[in-house]
Amino acid sequence: GAQRPEGEPTSQRLLVLGWSSKLPAILAEFASYTNERFIIDTVSTISAGERDRLAHRYGGDLGSLTLRHLEADYNHLPELQALEPWTYDRIILVGSGRAASEEDADARTLQGYLLLQDIFADRPEKPPILVELLEPENLGLLAGRPGETIISPMILSHSLAQVALRRELRGVFEELF
């Protein structure tokens, strides 16, 4: 392939399906990378204006990102197909913080994942998918399926427990997260 000039950042397109209060911090993390540029499209039924306001209020300076907030229901197959998810380098399914319960949030996330699998069934190019679940019991529903899964409440609780047991780890976790 073509080589990029020395020092020029690489560029990646990310599709983020869903919205939660954690997303502004994740966007800020992407914005902090100097050796990569990110073109990020967030997709949610929450208004684009509200998401933009929250992203900049809690994410800080996101100037290095190319950020678009698209209004769509990713659990509606025609709307998901219209996003052309196969054109992205990576896809992230975020557990919604606005669902009635963690079970409802995971149900929406899993439905979106299954729709993506249907869309990608006949395509040779399949971008990597990261799925955030909120309930550990739902992890088995993705067993043996392609993609990575994280259970964010478990990561947080394990981290807090480690800091409670060994206070000197606090600085390590602060740097990591």
Side-chain angles (χ1 to χ4, degrees), residues 102-139:
E102 290 180 343
E103 292 86 3
D104 289 346
D106 281 358
R108 282 192 53 77
T109 302
L110 290 166
Q111 181 179 348
Y113 174 84
L114 293 173
L115 288 173
L116 284 171
Q117 293 308 305
D118 285 348
I119 289 171
F120 294 143
D122 298 327
R123 293 189 171 272
E125 300 285 327
K126 297 174 181 144
I129 300 173
L130 174 66
V131 179
E132 176 196 26
L133 294 177
L134 303 176
E135 288 285 321
E137 297 81 23
N138 293 327
L139 184 59

Side-chain angles (χ1 to χ4, degrees), residues 74-85:
Y74 67 84
N75 278 321
H76 188 245
L77 184 59
E79 290 186 49
L80 184 59
Q81 287 174 317
L83 296 169
E84 299 180 346

Side-chain angles (χ1 to χ4, degrees), residues 4 8 12 15 21 27 33 43 55 62 64 67 89-90 103 105 112 123 125 132-133 149-150 152 155 168 174 177:
R4 63 185 173 92
E8 184 178 311
Q12 286 195 46
L15 178 63
S21 59
L27 294 173
Y33 299 155
V43 178
L62 303 176
S64 68
L67 184 60
D89 297 308
R90 301 185 184 293
E103 292 86 3
R123 293 189 171 272
E125 300 285 327
E132 176 196 26
L133 294 177
T149 307
I150 61 167
S152 55
I155 293 171
E168 66 273 13
E174 282 180 1
F177 297 113

Side-chain angles (χ1 to χ4, degrees), residues 16-20 41-48 51 69-74 79 83 96 98 108:
V16 179
L17 301 175
W19 183 264
S20 80
D41 292 341
T42 71
V43 178
S44 175
T45 55
I46 298 169
S47 79
R51 283 181 282 145
H69 299 291
L70 308 173
E71 293 182 32
D73 182 355
Y74 67 84
E79 290 186 49
L83 296 169
S96 173
R98 297 207 178 180
R108 282 192 53 77

